[in-house]
Amino acid sequence: MAESIKIPPHSKEAEESVLGAILLDKDAIISVADFLHSEHFYSEINGDIYKSILKLYEERRKYKCAQCGKLWKQKDIDLKGFQEWNKVEREKGDYS
C-alpha cells in the first residue's frame, strides 16, 4: 500500500502579499520582524527573500528586490527563482 504524501496548508498568494507589503511599505517589516521567520514560509524562495529583506532591515539598509539579489549573489545562491518572482512582481507593480 502506497503512502500518500500530505502537503501542509499554505497559500502562495498570502506569502507573496506579505513580501509585497514589506517591499512597498518600509514600516511593514517593523510589524512582523519579531514573530515572522523565514521558516514560516512554505515556499523556500519566499523564505529566502524574506530572510534577505530581514537581514537588510537589521543592518539598517534599504531593502528592495535589487539589494536582495545582491545579497544572494554574495552567498552564491541560485537566483533563478528570485528572478522569476521579481519579474512577476514587477509586472504587477513597481517593486524595484
Side-chain angles (χ1 to χ4, degrees):
M1 182 170 161
E3 289 184 38
S4 62
I5 298 174
K6 294 190 179 201
I7 298 174
H10 65 282
S11 171
K12 178 182 174 193
E13 293 80 12
E15 290 184 5
E16 291 173 355
S17 293
V18 168
L19 294 173
I22 291 170
L23 290 170
L24 285 174
D25 180 359
K26 63 181 175 64
D27 294 329
I29 191 74
I30 296 167
S31 301
V32 298
D34 286 339
F35 66 87
L36 184 61
H37 305 284
S38 61
E39 306 84 43
H40 293 149
F41 289 86
Y42 179 80
S43 165
E44 186 176 346
I45 188 79
N46 288 343
D48 287 342
I49 291 168
Y50 178 74
K51 191 184 308 182
S52 297
I53 292 170
L54 193 58
K55 178 176 173 44
L56 291 167
Y57 166 72
E58 289 170 349
E59 293 174 355
R60 306 291 189 254
R61 294 169 50 197
K62 289 185 179 181
Y63 48 88
K64 293 185 176 182
C65 287
Q67 284 85 357
C68 293
K70 288 176 188 174
L71 276 179
W72 283 25
K73 283 182 182 178
Q74 290 171 0
K75 294 182 177 183
D76 197 27
I77 296 173
D78 178 16
L79 291 173
K80 183 179 178 189
F82 176 77
Q83 290 166 340
E84 290 172 10
W85 182 88
N86 192 22
K87 180 181 175 187
V88 170
E89 293 305 305
R90 285 174 159 267
E91 289 171 0
K92 291 181 189 175
D94 183 17
Y95 291 92
S96 62

